[in-house]
């Protein structure tokens, strides 16, 4: 489900100002991320071609503007294997991580593919503001268990959990109906996981502490920053090796400052 923001939303344009050079957007869907100006040159990486996407999402209409991908890749199976280490100036993952089987592995590969100084622009829906409002957030421990298994696709158990949490009548379906439903949800890339803006930082904290990611938080967006927003996100810079700081502590400090600033504005 796409955010209610139009392509040219102020929230997304505000974060796009950090994008410079040659990069990619993974999973652009029918609303590719808005790129302002000509400083950033973006290629699209998607699982399906436009015709397949339109067939999977008929509710969007037969002329839904899915862009033609420059690279066809299944993030669960392929990650960013089409791109060499330290080869991209930026990676955009807008409403993508909630769809994949192993978000930690995808974030690891984004980090690998970025040049030192490269930018990751990551946005996610806040479950409180979407159809996920009835679902519990995905705890870090669950993601770590998934990551340890190294899944190459979303398994039936995750699809079943999603269907039950959404109130679908799984128990009344025949075996054939259940099998077809499971495969359709997998192809349509449902929300395997969901978080609020205050739950997801635990994932990034794990990557900073245990996977030795060195991210600098340049900016963040919270749901209260703009009216009717249903998403939150981050602009993160992969720190070059010569910058000798405690990246994890610095990231948490800046996130806290930005979070408090948003809360104070919302309360005033």
């Amino acid at each position: 489900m796409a955010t209610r923001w139009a392509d040219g939303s102020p929230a997304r344009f505000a974060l796009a100002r950090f994008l410079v050079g040659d990069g990619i957007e993974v999973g652009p869907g029918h609303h590719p991320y808005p790129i302002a100006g000509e400083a950033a040159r973006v290629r699209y990486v998607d699982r399906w071609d436009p015709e397949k996407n339109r067939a999977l999402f008929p509710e969007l209409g037969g002329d839904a503007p899915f862009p033609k991908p420059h690279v066809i890749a299944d993030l669960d199976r392929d990650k960013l294997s089409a791109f060499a280490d330290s080869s991209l100036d930026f990676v955009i993952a807008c409403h993508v991580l909630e769809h994949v089987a192993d978000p930690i592995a995808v974030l690891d590969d984004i980090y690998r593919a970025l040049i030192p100084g490269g930018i990751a622009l990551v946005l996610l829906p806040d479950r409180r503001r979407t159809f996920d409002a009835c679902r519990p957030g995905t705890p870090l421990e669950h993601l770590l268990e998934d990551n340890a298994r190294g899944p190459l696709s979303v398994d039936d158990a995750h699809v079943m959990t999603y269907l039950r949490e959404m109130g679908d009548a799984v128990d009344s379906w025949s075996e054939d109906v259940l099998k077809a439903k499971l495969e359709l949800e997998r192809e349509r890339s449902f929300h395997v996981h969901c978080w609020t803006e205050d739950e997801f930082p635990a994932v990034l904290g794990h990557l900073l502490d245990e996977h030795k990611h060195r991210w600098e938080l340049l900016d963040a967006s919270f749901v209260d920053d703009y009216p009717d927003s249903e998403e939150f996100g981050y602009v993160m810079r992969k720190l070059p090796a010569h910058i000798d700081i405690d990246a994890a502590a610095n990231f948490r400090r800046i996130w806290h400052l930005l979070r408090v600033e948003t809360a104070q504005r919302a309360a005033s």
Side-chain angles (χ1 to χ4, degrees):
M1 178 180 179
T3 180
R4 290 195 297 269
W5 283 112
D7 286 355
S9 75
R12 294 189 177 185
F13 269 129
L15 300 183
R17 71 189 188 277
F18 294 96
L19 302 177
V20 176
D22 295 304
I24 61 172
E25 179 176 2
V26 294
H30 65 298
H31 281 304
Y33 200 89
I35 303 295
E38 299 179 357
R41 296 168 296 278
V42 62
R43 290 175 287 168
Y44 297 122
V45 179
D46 211 343
R47 185 180 181 189
W48 309 117
D49 61 27
E51 292 71 26
K52 175 73 170 181
N53 269 321
R54 293 187 189 105
L56 284 172
F57 300 96
E59 67 272 22
L60 299 178
D63 58 350
F66 289 95
K68 184 175 178 59
H70 298 81
V71 175
I72 296 286
D74 181 340
L75 282 181
D76 286 329
R77 183 187 67 248
D78 305 317
K79 310 296 187 294
L80 299 184
S81 58
F83 303 95
D85 294 358
S86 303
S87 63
L88 299 171
D89 294 312
F90 64 85
V91 175
I92 303 168
C94 180
H95 291 232
V96 166
L97 294 177
E98 68 273 18
H99 296 280
V100 300
D102 189 353
I104 288 176
V106 172
L107 284 165
D108 272 339
D109 222 34
I110 288 173
Y111 188 82
R112 174 196 63 79
L114 283 170
I115 65 169
I119 298 295
L121 198 164
V122 177
L123 286 100
L124 302 105
D126 189 301
R127 63 183 176 86
R128 300 168 299 177
R129 306 291 182 94
T130 72
F131 52 77
D132 289 320
C134 62
R135 303 174 64 195
T138 303
L140 176 61
E141 292 73 21
H142 180 107
L143 296 182
L144 296 179
E145 291 172 2
D146 288 344
N147 182 248
R149 288 195 301 271
L152 299 180
S153 65
V154 177
D155 61 26
D156 287 354
H158 281 79
V159 187
M160 291 285 285
T161 297
Y162 166 76
L163 292 172
R164 292 185 187 282
E165 289 176 349
M166 296 302 291
D168 282 326
V170 176
D171 295 331
S172 66
W173 293 341
S174 69
E175 184 176 340
D176 288 344
V177 169
L178 178 58
K179 182 179 179 180
K181 184 69 170 176
L182 291 174
E183 189 54 35
L184 178 61
E185 291 294 347
R186 233 187 313 269
E187 288 195 323
R188 280 172 58 95
S189 299
F190 68 101
H191 286 188
V192 186
H193 311 288
C194 58
W195 304 273
T196 69
E197 62 190 4
D198 292 317
E199 294 167 344
F200 190 76
V203 180
L204 298 177
H206 172 79
L207 293 171
L208 289 159
D209 293 333
E210 303 300 330
H211 291 220
K212 305 308 177 186
H213 286 203
R214 284 169 42 83
W215 293 115
E216 177 187 12
L217 183 59
L218 299 180
D219 202 356
S221 180
F222 302 96
V223 292
D224 288 330
D225 283 337
Y226 298 92
D228 298 321
S229 176
E230 59 186 29
E231 64 187 6
F232 63 94
Y234 316 87
V235 179
M236 306 184 296
R237 182 168 74 109
K238 179 180 176 179
L239 282 170
H242 71 272
I243 297 180
D244 184 17
I245 64 170
D246 184 336
N250 191 58
F251 188 100
R252 289 183 169 98
R253 180 180 63 83
I254 295 173
W255 182 88
H256 178 73
L257 290 172
L258 294 173
R259 186 72 183 91
V260 168
E261 182 182 18
T262 290
Q264 289 175 341
R265 283 200 306 268
S268 62

